[in-house]
Amino acid sequence: MAFEQYENEDDRIQDKLKQKTWNEIRTNDSWAIFKVMSEFVNGYETMARIGPCVSIFGSARTKPDNKYYLLAEKIAYKISKAGYGVITGGGPGIMEAGNKGAHLGGGTSVGLNIELPFEQHFNPYIDKDKNLNFDYFFVRKVMFVKYSQGFVVMPGGFGTLDELFEAITLIQTKKIGKFPIILVGKEFWSGLIDWIKTTMIEKEHNASPDDMNLIKIVDTEDEVVEELDRFYKKYNLSPNF
């Protein structure tokens, strides 16, 4: 899906609202399903050979000297040393830190990149045969969920929140197993967690208090590994790598 070029945002909106001819629909919309299918097939075949890993989510904008970048690198290093493979979004920022830590730890380092008009590019710490590129966000998210044995969520923006709430929703609705969701950085996440508890759950009753048990908030790399190990010992499982 190549990015459409527009002079300004108004042109983009006008184009999306324009009534399309049947030929345009068949050419531009209906046939896109084959591109979607090819991404699913390539993703499934590649990831099935790699096996499940732990996903690390976080902002692409985080700089290498940021404390959360350095922490993500330490977390991925310790995860890889504990035997877990690492999946990231394959780009810069926290994603780069995650792949770098896994690479330095001698572990499996996977990148699920997305083609964007800005920000995103492959980082150099992904294993060369474990570097996938996607045009569609929803296909990429399926790969994250299907092949993740746990989710480590670093500070990030809207994309990170999207990935976080996707994982929570799928676990809450029992569409996937109850894998650990670990938020890193109590200072960063405390405001959101307080809002969820006081407004969404206690005031509006839009979620169950038990749903908060799906989330663990930590501050250190050791706590992350402890949470993952606790989960695996509880279910008598072991890391894939």
Side-chain angles (χ1 to χ4, degrees), residues 69-109:
Y69 181 106
L70 299 173
L71 180 54
E73 183 180 332
K74 291 178 182 178
I75 289 170
Y77 179 85
K78 283 226 166 186
I79 285 176
S80 65
K81 285 298 186 183
Y84 302 94
V86 171
I87 302 175
T88 81
I94 293 296
M95 296 175 281
E96 178 182 286
N99 289 125
K100 183 178 180 181
H103 177 75
L104 293 175
T108 296
S109 181

Side-chain angles (χ1 to χ4, degrees), residues 151-174:
F151 305 92
V152 177
V153 190
M154 303 296 297
F158 291 119
T160 302
L161 292 177
D162 177 48
E163 291 159 340
L164 166 63
F165 285 115
E166 174 91 3
I168 293 174
T169 300
L170 291 172
I171 292 174
Q172 178 202 46
T173 55
K174 303 185 186 304

Side-chain angles (χ1 to χ4, degrees), residues 134-154:
F134 297 90
D135 287 332
Y136 297 95
F137 268 111
F138 68 91
V139 179
R140 179 180 182 239
K141 287 192 339 185
V142 168
M143 300 305 148
F144 270 123
V145 170
K146 183 174 177 62
Y147 295 99
S148 291
Q149 296 171 316
F151 305 92
V152 177
V153 190
M154 303 296 297

